[in-house]
Amino acid sequence: MGIKRRVFLFGSMALAGAGVFGLKWSGSKALADAQGATVKPGEGGFAAFLKIAPDDTVTLYSPTIDFGQGSHTAQAQIVAEELGIDAAQVVVEQAPAMPGFANPGIIEGFGADAFGAIFKSLPASLLGFAARAMPMQMTGGSSAIRFTGRLTLARAAAGARKLLIEEAADRLKVGEGDLVLAGGRASHAASGRSLRIGEIAEAAAQRTLWSEPEPLPARAGKAVGQSPPRRDIPGKVDGSAVYGMDVKLPNMRVATLAMAPVRGGKLTGVDGKPALAVAGVEKVIRLDDAVVVVGKGYWPALKGVRALAPQFSDGGHGGLNSPGIFAAQDRLRDANKPDKVSKAGDVAAALEDKTAKVITADYRVPYLHHAMMEPFALTAHRQGDRLDIWAGLQDPLRTRQMAAKAAGLPEEAVTVHTTIMGGGFGRRFPDQCEIIDQVVKVASQCPWPVKLIWSREQELQHGSYRVQSSARLTAALKDGRIAALRTDYVQGDNVEGEVGFVYQVPATERRHFKYKTNQIDGPFRSVNSNQVGYWTESFIDELAHAAGEDPYRFRRKHLADGSRQAKVLDEAARRAGWGSPLPAGTARGIALVESFGTIVAEVVEAGLREDGLPLVRKVTAVVDCGTTVNPRNAEAQIQGGIIQALSTAIAEEITLDKGAVVQSNFADYPILRLAEAPAVIDVHFIESGAPMGGIGEPGVPPATPALVNALFALTGKRVRTLPIRDQAKA
């Protein structure tokens, strides 16, 4: 998703120039500024992210945004577990977009994923500096609980716990080891004396934490493992939740725009008079690749845009189309000059073994639209050398940085007001959002606050997309086992360090061929595990049938007995009744994918509708994410991922013609409807105690291959090109 590159591109130069004093000063100033914005007299502030009030209320300032995944509820449970209090006692607020609230757990977590456990030995001051330097306040990569919750917030709470106990021990004149922090009190059992955390918090926060205490085990008390009601639901039901579209300011104007149909094209000419003739239109603003109409409301602005006839260039991309992209990818792969090769064992020798059976298959996936419920609506107000921006994006600090650059202001002059978001799925990372630059430039030319709205059509035709990519998989089968597997895949970025391979195979090789178009390849829910999971698990199924074996049993013999992967696969097969009879016209498919530190196996039971499209009757999912913080919410995340994956597999695709996106709205970009969703999605968790994994994304990758594998079992036809709808038409 680009985050792992950013983890280390925060700068060896910046670190080399900072020195030890620079790191300490940077951290001290950022912490002081953060606490100055949130901590009042009488309260105790701990590591920016926590404060405790005299009435014992614990406030958690979350650096991540809860945009439908329920993460704030689970984060409150993690903090409550550490402090020995009820989760209801923890109030969750969105952390301001200030450097002191940069998120070091993200740096540590993704750094360890990419570079190993040695990364965890880096000092907290260095991680904090890196988070502020990047800057890093992102929500994504299934990290809100496993990294932010477990690494950032649990550690802040562990530090608070230690300081509270130290302060209580001094006041009660007892040993620290004789105190228990529980129920909101530091208690001394022998004497029966205790102190409330609220009455000692301010003094405890003034103490020096000489060493960073380790958090308690993930499930040490009563909070983690429970399913309290989600905190974000009431506001969404009663309308008090504020989305970007809900922002209202005095004298605010509303703007919308027409953009170059072909990405990379420029605005070459426009007569603004027809728009200015529309009642309520006040201004027409020309940008490099768009024309913006500002009015007293959205309807006048939209009518103004529709009255215009702007001319755009195609940026040299007018000949681009979807079939041509696949053809170009095939040529690139056939040239046999990969950009990146990752391998173990001698694949070439295994493929040349005359006693082995060699199987080859080509897979293709299209661009995908994120289809988030809420289109973009950002508001900005420029007042001289100050800028305020209201935005629901997945990294407020990065939004602040980009808005400052667009305005030509220092970052300290920009205030980001973070709203909640109606979905994101990777689309709302600031680096993917041209609207930041647009709204700032528009507001800089207006005396009023301006809300810039992208319509559903604009978001669909000018978004960032899951990559259009293709892969050729080649394997050698010998003695009923996979002797070697090679994957040659073509897309923008390589997947190494992100997507693993779960099976025990003597020789594997993955070769990346870099290919880019004029489109923005944006992270999609489950990122590269999305397409890699599809073609790998589909091909494993092909190999099972080529070997004349049951797809579940074939997978199982390539997994180590007693491994987490084997246990997940076995449990999924058992719970789905693998091998038991099914009604006529129904078949099962199975898939196993590990992503974001979580292992998921899924079994799909599917038939066919009268129009030839799949009818998914039931999905069984078994998940090992180490420790499940909030089981009910985790179940909902897996279910949502499965439904989204089935939707993309069956009918979703973005296609290009003459360089422009063909689809315009849900009429020609159909998403799965309620009546088409599985009647049953049975989710089961294995509490293995392994390091905590993600939950928002790992449910996605196994669903598509499990579906196409079920369709092969039913029809004998392989789906190697998505969406399935196109194959049904053929």
Side-chain angles (χ1 to χ4, degrees), residues 18 64 107 155 305 318 321 373 450 567:
T64 63
I107 304 291
R155 285 180 178 168
V305 166
N321 59 60
M373 186 178 295
V450 179
K567 291 178 180 178

Side-chain angles (χ1 to χ4, degrees), residues 217-306:
R219 182 173 290 181
K222 298 180 179 179
V224 169
Q226 304 302 310
S227 296
R230 271 181 41 177
R231 294 161 180 248
D232 58 319
I233 299 301
K236 293 174 179 177
V237 173
D238 64 23
S240 60
V242 177
Y243 293 86
M245 199 70 74
D246 298 325
V247 172
K248 294 181 181 179
L249 300 172
N251 299 315
M252 185 179 74
R253 300 300 193 265
V254 179
T256 192
L257 71 173
M259 289 177 276
V262 179
R263 187 180 295 279
K266 301 296 182 183
L267 177 67
T268 58
V270 64
D271 180 0
K273 293 178 182 177
L276 293 170
V278 175
V281 169
E282 296 187 304
K283 202 171 186 66
V284 175
I285 297 174
R286 295 162 180 81
L287 303 178
D288 284 347
D289 58 355
V291 56
V292 182
V293 176
V294 183
K296 294 182 177 180
Y298 180 66
W299 182 235
L302 181 61
K303 287 178 67 178
V305 166
R306 290 175 175 174

Side-chain angles (χ1 to χ4, degrees), residues 383-461:
Q383 299 177 86
D385 60 357
R386 297 289 309 174
L387 173 70
D388 286 81
I389 182 168
W390 288 258
L393 300 176
Q394 288 178 244
D395 192 332
L397 272 177
R398 177 66 175 144
T399 300
R400 177 178 182 243
Q401 185 182 63
M402 292 176 63
K405 181 179 180 181
L409 294 172
E411 291 178 37
E412 295 76 17
V414 178
T415 300
V416 174
H417 308 268
T418 302
T419 68
I420 61 173
M421 299 178 283
F425 313 114
R427 174 65 179 109
R428 293 182 184 269
F429 284 111
D431 304 84
Q432 313 289 320
C433 299
E434 297 153 297
I435 192 172
I436 298 172
D437 186 78
Q438 292 170 342
V439 72
V440 170
K441 289 181 176 177
V442 169
S444 296
Q445 299 181 51
C446 294
W448 334 276
V450 179
K451 179 192 294 181
L452 178 60
I453 296 174
W454 278 26
S455 68
R456 176 76 62 192
E457 290 82 1
Q458 288 164 334
E459 165 55 23
L460 201 149
Q461 295 191 317

Side-chain angles (χ1 to χ4, degrees), residues 468-681:
Q468 178 175 336
S469 62
S470 58
R472 176 169 296 154
L473 283 79
T474 306
L477 284 175
K478 187 171 183 179
D479 301 325
R481 299 183 68 93
I482 306 172
L485 174 63
R486 173 185 289 157
T487 302
D488 290 340
Y489 67 103
V490 188
Q491 61 180 49
D493 293 331
N494 76 70
V495 304
E496 305 316 317
E498 177 193 333
V499 183
F501 183 68
V502 300
Y503 300 107
Q504 293 184 322
V505 174
T508 59
E509 185 175 50
R510 198 152 55 187
R511 305 194 302 174
H512 169 244
F513 298 81
K514 188 176 182 65
Y515 178 82
K516 296 283 287 184
T517 70
N518 65 328
Q519 299 301 311
I520 297 176
D521 292 345
F524 193 84
R525 190 175 187 177
S526 77
V527 202
N528 286 299
S529 296
N530 189 295
Q531 64 271 19
V532 175
Y534 159 60
W535 62 54
T536 300
E537 280 299 289
S538 297
F539 190 61
I540 293 293
D541 217 67
E542 293 203 45
L543 297 179
H545 286 282
E549 294 201 34
D550 174 84
Y552 156 58
R553 296 293 176 189
F554 183 78
R555 285 173 169 81
R556 182 62 180 81
K557 75 179 183 179
H558 289 88
L559 297 172
D561 289 338
S563 66
R564 293 173 64 202
Q565 295 83 356
K567 291 178 180 178
V568 169
L569 185 70
D570 288 344
E571 185 66 7
R574 185 188 70 80
R575 293 180 67 87
W578 186 269
S580 63
L582 284 169
T586 305
R588 293 187 183 97
I590 192 168
L592 172 71
V593 180
E594 182 174 352
S595 63
F596 303 93
T598 293
I599 303 162
V600 183
E602 293 172 5
V603 177
V604 167
E605 295 180 13
L608 293 177
R609 302 183 337 199
E610 290 184 2
D611 60 4
L613 290 178
L615 175 62
V616 179
R617 305 182 190 279
K618 180 181 179 181
V619 181
T620 302
V622 174
V623 182
D624 180 355
C625 59
T627 299
T628 310
V629 176
N630 186 311
R632 182 169 58 187
N633 190 60
E635 178 184 21
Q637 286 297 294
I638 295 296
Q639 290 173 334
I642 288 169
I643 290 174
Q644 186 169 18
L646 295 176
S647 180
T648 59
I650 292 170
E652 295 183 35
E653 65 177 331
I654 289 291
T655 58
L656 302 179
D657 184 48
K658 297 179 181 178
V661 172
V662 173
Q663 289 71 28
S664 61
N665 208 316
F666 291 140
D668 52 7
Y669 191 89
I671 59 175
L672 202 68
R673 300 184 180 186
L674 183 61
E676 300 166 330
V680 178
I681 302 180

